[in-house]
Amino acid sequence: MAITTRAPAPGSGTSGAPPRPAAGPPAPPGRGTAWAEGVERLRAAATTEPGRLRIIGAVLAALIVLFGAVAVWEVSDRVAAAEAVVGRSQPLSADAANIYRSLADADTASSSGFLAGAQEPREVRQRYEKDIASASRLLISAAANTGAGGESRKEIALLGEQLPRYTGLIEQARANNRQGLPLGGAYLRHANEQMSTVLLPAAQRLYEAETGRLYTDHDEARSWPLAATGAGVLAVGALVWAQRRNYLRTHRVFNQGLLAATAASVVVLLWLTVGQTVARSGLTEARADGQESLKVLNDARIASLQARAGENLTLIARGAVLAEDKKSDKYDVDYATNMRQLDEGLAKALRLADDASGRDPLKKAAAGVTEWKQRHAAARESDMKGDYELALPQVIGDKKSSGASFDVVDASLEEAVVHEQQEFTRAARSGLGALDGLVTGSAALAVLGAVAALLGIGRRLSEYR
């Protein structure tokens, strides 16, 4: 019987084409991103009540901590701005005003001393030296406390450069005056021109720059902490929702942890609201009743000083310097202009004054201005008639001179400035005091609230173990 053999199937034996490898199990799918895994786990956790509770607890704690952090951040900014108003911006603004006043008063004193002749009164000379020393000291202080660069730094540098030139001209005027040389009047007029066109404008710009910074700090201190308020409302709302959810599921009215977290958050929110409201009120009062009055009074006082300098220079120049109309005496025109500004300033200051201590010195100053005008008119009439010897004592003489009236006005305005400065400081410090402890309190209560929320949720989770 014939035996037949079958050819092996391809790839089935040891001969022929090599066998193909058998297909292995399917490769595992690629792993997702960490974010995707986290989302998947969160979704899985949210399908069970314990998982949902853990999510709710984490969200509540995060919202409370966020509220505390934003409150600390915004309140810290308000406190820093309020401290700047009280301790830096307003003092620098006041110093800038005093620099202007000292320079203007020095110019007035120098012209008064010149009018007295070779024997300059000692008290007038001392007043001039005191004004120059005060202006120099305040410039050094302003240079040390104002920020690097900027408008203020530039004006301080200009004043520091030009003030010695001014004092040099005054000394030349005095030296010539003691020798009876008419050239002294020219030096004095040149010094006054430098004061009027260089020094005082620079001091005015410095005052405006520092006052602008004061208003900026004031506005920052008064601005409402909107982000903190919004975060607080959100945190309290979430806590109320969580407690309502707990009540609907368990019929338990209170969860001690959530209740404590709610109480802590509400305390911070109320403290923030009340504190900022009181601070805004105090700072607003400081600005309206203090700073605005100070600005008006400083302007009025400067106008009186410049009017006095113009009155003195009218006698010194004797018509040598004409106004723009080429007919009137320039210094007499300046006197009239400054007296109008003084009248307007006193009227505005009286409207702003809100108590007897503020109004009384202003009324005294107004009476002094009226008397000053009358005495100036009499002195001017004598001078126009050519009677210089009669006009001179009417300007720089005894208690019945226009100089005596100016002294009353100047002293009364200084009294009003001191009062308003005290009012500003009192109101500003009251506003700043309303924020005391709020930064530390907000941080501590936020941490307490977050911990209490986690403990409250943990109490519910323990029921599932």
Side-chain angles (χ1 to χ4, degrees), residues 255-271:
N255 178 291
Q256 294 178 348
L258 293 180
L259 186 62
T262 304
S265 300
V266 169
V267 168
V268 174
L269 188 59
L270 289 176
W271 192 356

Side-chain angles (χ1 to χ4, degrees), residues 4 8 49 68 72 74 86 129 135 178 180 184 195 202 205 208 213 235 258 291 330 346 357 389 408 439 458:
T4 61
E49 180 61 14
V72 167
E74 288 199 314
V86 175
E129 292 175 345
R178 283 196 301 268
M195 177 65 75
R205 292 191 295 269
E208 291 172 354
R213 184 163 68 169
L258 293 180
Q291 183 58 32
K330 175 186 180 302
L346 285 174
S357 298
E389 297 301 325
V408 170
V439 173

Side-chain angles (χ1 to χ4, degrees), residues 140-184:
I140 293 172
S141 175
N145 292 302
T146 194
E151 185 67 23
S152 295
R153 179 70 63 177
K154 184 176 70 174
E155 302 304 341
I156 290 169
L158 177 60
L159 288 165
E161 176 186 350
Q162 295 296 324
L163 185 56
R165 297 182 181 180
Y166 170 81
T167 56
L169 289 171
I170 293 297
E171 292 309 313
Q172 288 178 311
R174 291 180 69 241
N176 282 276
N177 194 37
R178 283 196 301 268
Q179 299 175 42
L181 300 176
L183 189 59

Side-chain angles (χ1 to χ4, degrees), residues 113-324:
F114 190 92
L115 275 176
Q119 299 300 321
E120 183 179 9
R122 183 178 180 181
E123 62 274 11
V124 175
R125 180 63 183 175
Q126 288 177 339
R127 180 171 181 169
Y128 166 81
E129 292 175 345
K130 180 181 177 181
D131 286 330
I132 295 298
S134 176
S136 301
R137 175 180 54 81
L138 291 172
L139 282 172
I140 293 172
S141 175
N145 292 302
T146 194
E151 185 67 23
S152 295
R153 179 70 63 177
K154 184 176 70 174
E155 302 304 341
I156 290 169
L158 177 60
L159 288 165
E161 176 186 350
Q162 295 296 324
L163 185 56
R165 297 182 181 180
Y166 170 81
T167 56
L169 289 171
I170 293 297
E171 292 309 313
Q172 288 178 311
R174 291 180 69 241
N176 282 276
N177 194 37
R178 283 196 301 268
Q179 299 175 42
L181 300 176
L183 189 59
Y187 275 116
L188 187 67
R189 291 194 299 272
H190 184 37
N192 174 262
E193 181 180 1
Q194 186 185 22
M195 177 65 75
S196 301
T197 60
V198 178
L199 288 167
L200 290 182
Q204 178 68 25
R205 292 191 295 269
L206 175 62
Y207 173 66
E208 291 172 354
E210 294 300 334
T211 302
R213 184 163 68 169
L214 168 61
Y215 287 160
T216 298
D217 288 339
H218 181 272
D219 290 339
E220 289 179 0
R222 289 184 68 254
S223 62
W224 192 265
L226 293 176
T229 303
V233 171
L234 181 61
V236 171
L239 285 163
V240 171
W241 172 84
Q243 290 177 90
R244 183 174 183 276
R245 180 182 184 278
N246 183 58
Y247 169 74
L248 292 176
R249 288 178 176 271
T250 66
H251 298 289
R252 295 172 184 170
V253 178
F254 296 120
N255 178 291
Q256 294 178 348
L258 293 180
L259 186 62
T262 304
S265 300
V266 169
V267 168
V268 174
L269 188 59
L270 289 176
W271 192 356
L272 176 67
T273 302
V274 174
Q276 186 65 28
T277 300
V278 175
R280 283 168 62 91
S281 176
L283 291 167
T284 299
E285 180 185 353
R287 181 166 178 171
D289 298 339
Q291 183 58 32
E292 293 301 328
S293 293
L294 282 171
K295 187 176 185 304
V296 172
L297 288 171
N298 284 325
D299 290 343
R301 197 174 185 190
I302 288 165
S304 71
L305 290 166
Q306 291 179 327
R308 179 59 179 168
E311 183 178 41
N312 292 337
L313 286 166
T314 300
L315 282 180
I316 294 171
R318 307 292 299 277
V321 183
L322 297 179
E324 293 181 357

